[in-house]
């Protein structure tokens, strides 16, 4: 009998966990991660193109210094303009246009007030997500309880997240929501992201693919739910998902070929 | 449909039993298969094999609870498939979890010669009995279902760091229990 064999007996011992515990845990699972996979889209060709473009621009600018100065001035003035727009606070709600009006032909859109409410809820959702994904160093501090450690970690995550509010939760950000419609009591939207990686999620046999830093979600009564959660919780029915999928197929550019 | 009715369908050799089992426990089987296998096709094949195994073994078996029986079947089939594919290190969390379990053995220590896995399993069950509901869920998900940190995070709502520290504490407590019972020497 060699040492390895003895070791393996400890691993095997875990197979003798009582079926009542296995059943208890198995029946309590929500199973929302089943078959949700992320795909990485190769970006090598794109990077080469970007580098070539950058080198080309630099050559052009270095050859024509006066033109370069002029371009620099223009770029600076544009950047200043963008900055002021991006940091502008929402003062007059009526100034904001409808959200991305993809169903404008059907006269289906959200009001500005509704969109601002959704944006506020989305902010809360993002804060919560940052907290959940962050490393909680307080948990190793023996002098405070686990609840306090969690509370402190949440505060830290909120403080850190709120530093970037001026860059995100403004008019420009709001216009990047893509609106799919109202299904049951849920408003279904996606916040567009940059198309460098795909996330793919299967809900009730329908496959939705979109940029991985975008989130497809449902809004209901001041709360944001991931689309798959909303379906599993019964907020969206199979028919709703089918209708969302029709619109996704018709309008979404992120569909995988 | 409740478990008793599903078993009755199996006992009556009614093919509806397969449909109902797939409907109720298909997702659970897929979840378990995913923890052991790298590809979706393999996981899907594992679900089908599990359903076939159930059809062949009920009767004579009349399992109670059915969900644990199906989970165990799915896990065994997934393990065999992962070994056959030589994907032990590529798919799922099998290697990570095995390493974690073995880390409970201090350097130069091993299991007592006369102890079999089943006896050590009894101590583990006694240990699980004493855990709180959330600790038990995290522990069983990790060490029986071989779930990843991310998957446990989604199931329990805890943060990743909390799960890691909770598992480390539980392992240390279990190692002490095993040493106290004379299993680790």
């Amino acid at each position: 009998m060699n040492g390895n064999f003895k070791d393996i007996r400890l691993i095997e011992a875990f197979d003798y966990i009582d079926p009542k515990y296995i059943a208890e845990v198995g029946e309590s699972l929500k199973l929302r991660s089943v078959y949700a996979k992320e795909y990485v889209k190769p970006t090598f060709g794109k990077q080469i193109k970007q580098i070539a473009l950058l080198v080309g621009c630099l050559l052009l600018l270095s050859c024509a210094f006066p033109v370069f100065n002029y371009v620099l001035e223009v770029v600076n003035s544009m950047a200043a303009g963008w900055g002021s727009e991006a940091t502008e606070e929402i003062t007059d709600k009526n100034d904001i246009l409808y959200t991305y009006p993809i169903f404008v032909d059907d006269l289906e859109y959200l009001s500005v007030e509704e969109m601002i409410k959704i944006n506020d809820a989305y902010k809360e959702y993002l804060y919560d997500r940052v907290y959940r994904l962050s490393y909680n160093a307080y948990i190793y501090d023996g002098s405070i309880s686990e609840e306090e450690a969690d509370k402190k970690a949440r505060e830290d995550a909120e403080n850190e997240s709120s530093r970037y509010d001026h860059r995100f939760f403004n008019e420009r950000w709001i216009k990047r929501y893509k609106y799919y419609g109202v299904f049951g009591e849920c408003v279904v939207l996606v916040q567009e992201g940059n198309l460098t990686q795909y996330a793919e999620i299967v809900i009730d046999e329908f496959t939705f693919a979109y940029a991985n830093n975008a989130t497809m979600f449902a809004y209901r009564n001041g709360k944001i739910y991931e689309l798959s959660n909303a379906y599993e919780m019964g907020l969206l029915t199979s028919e709703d998902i089918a209708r969302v999928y029709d619109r996704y197929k018709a309008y979404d550019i992120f569909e995988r070929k | 449909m409740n478990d008793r009715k599903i078993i009755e369908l199996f006992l009556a050799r009614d093919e509806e039993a397969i449909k109902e089992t797939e409907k109720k426990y298909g997702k659970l089987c897929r979840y378990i298969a995913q923890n052991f296998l790298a590809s979706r096709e393999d996981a899907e094949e594992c679900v089908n094999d599990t359903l076939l195994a159930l059809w062949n073994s009920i009767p004579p078996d009349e399992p109670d609870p059915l969900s644990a029986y199906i989970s165990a079947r799915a896990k065994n089939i997934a393990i065999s498939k992962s070994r056959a594919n030589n994907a032990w290190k590529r798919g799922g969390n099998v290697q990570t979890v095995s390493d974690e379990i073995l880390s409970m053995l201090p350097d130069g220590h091993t299991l007592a010669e006369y102890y079999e896995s089943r006896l050590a399993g009894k101590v583990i069950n006694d240990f699980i009995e004493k855990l709180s509901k959330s600790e038990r869920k995290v522990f069983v998900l990790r060490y029986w279902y071989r779930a990843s940190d991310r998957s446990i995070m989604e199931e329990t709502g805890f943060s990743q760091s909390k799960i890691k520290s909770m598992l480390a504490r539980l392992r240390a407590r279990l190692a002490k229990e095993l040493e106290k019972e004379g299993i680790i020497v």
Side-chain angles (χ1 to χ4, degrees):
Chain A
M1 196 180 286
N2 61 38
N4 286 336
F5 180 73
K6 287 170 193 168
D7 284 347
I8 288 166
R9 281 185 301 165
L10 185 58
I11 297 171
E12 283 173 352
F14 282 81
D15 289 336
Y16 291 104
I17 287 178
D18 196 317
K20 72 179 179 194
Y21 302 128
I22 298 164
E24 180 190 314
V25 172
E27 284 161 18
S28 72
L29 295 178
K30 298 164 199 147
L31 302 171
R32 66 176 67 133
S33 66
V34 175
Y35 285 171
K37 274 193 166 184
E38 283 195 359
Y39 292 90
V40 178
K41 190 189 177 190
T43 54
F44 185 67
K46 198 176 168 186
Q47 281 171 351
I48 293 282
K49 272 185 201 167
Q50 283 172 345
I51 291 166
L53 193 68
L54 190 68
V55 170
C57 287
L58 284 174
L59 279 172
L60 199 69
L61 291 172
S62 61
C63 290
F65 189 69
V67 179
F68 171 75
N69 266 344
Y70 174 72
V71 171
L72 207 62
E73 271 176 28
V74 172
V75 168
N76 277 340
S77 63
M78 282 171 74
W82 285 340
S84 62
E85 190 185 339
T87 53
E88 191 182 333
E89 286 197 7
I90 302 161
T91 47
D92 185 356
K93 292 173 183 176
N94 294 322
D95 284 348
I96 303 172
L97 292 173
Y98 299 126
T99 182
Y100 201 11
I102 54 172
F103 298 113
V104 77
D105 293 345
D106 304 335
L107 294 178
E108 190 176 343
Y109 48 79
L110 291 174
S111 72
V112 174
E113 286 75 16
E114 282 169 326
M115 203 57 237
I116 289 172
K117 262 190 213 165
I118 291 173
N119 192 44
D120 289 345
Y122 192 75
K123 186 170 150 183
E124 294 294 317
Y125 165 81
L126 280 189
Y127 279 15
D128 188 60
R129 196 157 163 238
V130 168
Y131 154 71
R132 286 191 187 287
L133 294 174
S134 61
Y135 171 71
N136 183 356
Y138 297 110
I139 205 92
Y140 300 107
D141 183 350
S143 65
I144 55 173
S145 68
E146 273 186 29
E147 287 74 24
E148 282 173 346
D150 261 9
K151 200 178 159 192
K152 274 173 173 280
R154 187 179 281 276
E155 279 170 10
D156 282 359
E158 284 182 5
N159 290 338
E160 184 61 25
S161 304
S162 61
R163 285 174 53 198
Y164 303 101
D165 279 2
H166 66 285
R167 280 171 55 191
F168 295 122
F169 302 103
N170 53 36
E171 183 182 334
R172 177 173 292 200
W173 170 269
I174 285 179
K175 284 179 182 169
R176 290 190 71 184
Y177 285 105
K178 188 181 262 190
Y179 169 60
Y180 280 85
V182 179
F183 305 90
E185 292 179 17
C186 293
V187 185
V188 176
L189 301 105
V190 66
Q191 236 292 345
E192 285 184 17
N194 299 323
L195 190 60
T196 51
Q197 281 188 322
Y198 282 108
E200 190 179 275
I201 192 152
V202 181
I203 305 171
D204 195 28
E205 297 176 2
F206 295 106
T207 304
F208 297 90
Y210 47 89
N212 79 325
N213 54 354
T215 315
M216 208 163 178
F217 64 90
Y219 169 86
R220 181 175 177 269
N221 292 343
K223 274 198 83 176
I224 298 286
Y225 302 88
E226 281 178 29
L227 201 64
S228 52
N229 281 358
Y231 173 65
E232 278 160 20
M233 290 166 73
L235 305 179
L236 290 170
T237 63
S238 298
E239 291 76 40
D240 293 336
I241 295 293
R243 282 167 58 212
V244 173
Y245 187 71
D246 282 346
R247 295 189 166 187
Y248 160 81
K249 285 277 280 183
Y251 293 96
D252 214 296
I253 58 163
F254 299 142
E255 193 192 357
R256 280 166 64 80
K257 300 295 175 207
Chain B
M1 186 176 280
N2 67 29
D3 290 355
R4 190 60 233 167
K5 280 191 177 165
I6 293 177
I7 290 171
E8 276 168 12
L9 287 173
F10 271 114
L11 295 176
R13 310 309 289 159
D14 186 342
E15 288 183 8
E16 197 65 23
I18 302 277
K19 270 188 200 166
E20 291 297 331
T21 311
E22 158 72 29
K23 206 165 140 188
K24 190 167 180 187
Y25 292 113
K27 234 177 169 186
L28 178 64
C29 290
R30 273 180 204 102
Y31 176 76
I32 294 167
Q34 269 189 310
N35 290 339
F36 289 87
L37 298 163
S39 82
R40 186 184 293 194
E41 288 74 21
D42 283 348
E44 204 52 55
E45 209 178 303
C46 175
V47 176
N48 291 335
D49 288 355
T50 307
L51 292 171
L52 180 66
L54 291 174
W55 180 256
N56 290 333
S57 61
I58 310 175
D61 292 354
E62 284 187 42
D64 183 30
L66 181 62
S67 65
Y69 184 81
I70 293 175
S71 302
R73 283 277 173 170
K75 185 180 167 185
N76 288 340
I77 289 169
I79 289 174
S80 315
K81 213 169 266 298
S82 116
R83 279 181 178 145
N85 292 351
N86 196 20
W88 197 247
K89 289 194 174 184
R90 283 187 283 118
N93 305 299
V94 180
Q95 192 64 33
T96 322
V97 176
S98 302
D99 288 347
E100 267 181 36
I101 292 173
L102 292 178
S103 74
M104 275 192 281
L105 286 171
D107 285 345
H109 289 62
T110 179
L111 257 62
E113 194 74 32
Y114 53 86
Y115 263 105
E116 287 180 8
S117 311
R118 191 181 290 268
L119 292 170
K122 192 178 174 311
V123 177
I124 294 171
N125 279 320
D126 292 344
F127 172 74
I128 295 173
E129 178 75 48
K130 290 179 214 158
L131 300 180
S132 70
K133 208 172 172 186
S134 58
E135 283 177 331
R136 191 183 300 155
K137 187 170 183 181
V138 171
F139 187 86
V140 175
L141 270 178
R142 184 66 166 174
Y143 296 118
W144 197 89
Y145 285 92
R146 302 288 200 271
S148 65
D149 287 348
R150 188 176 165 179
S151 158
I152 299 173
M153 196 169 92
E154 283 171 358
E155 288 298 341
T156 58
F158 296 148
S159 67
Q160 203 162 359
S161 54
K162 181 168 177 170
I163 291 164
K164 274 189 196 295
S165 63
M166 189 190 271
L167 285 171
R169 277 200 300 270
L170 290 174
R171 279 201 304 274
R173 273 165 61 190
L174 176 59
K176 267 187 195 167
E177 292 281 324
L178 289 167
E179 253 183 293
K180 207 165 73 184
E181 296 291 330
I183 293 172
I184 292 179
V185 290

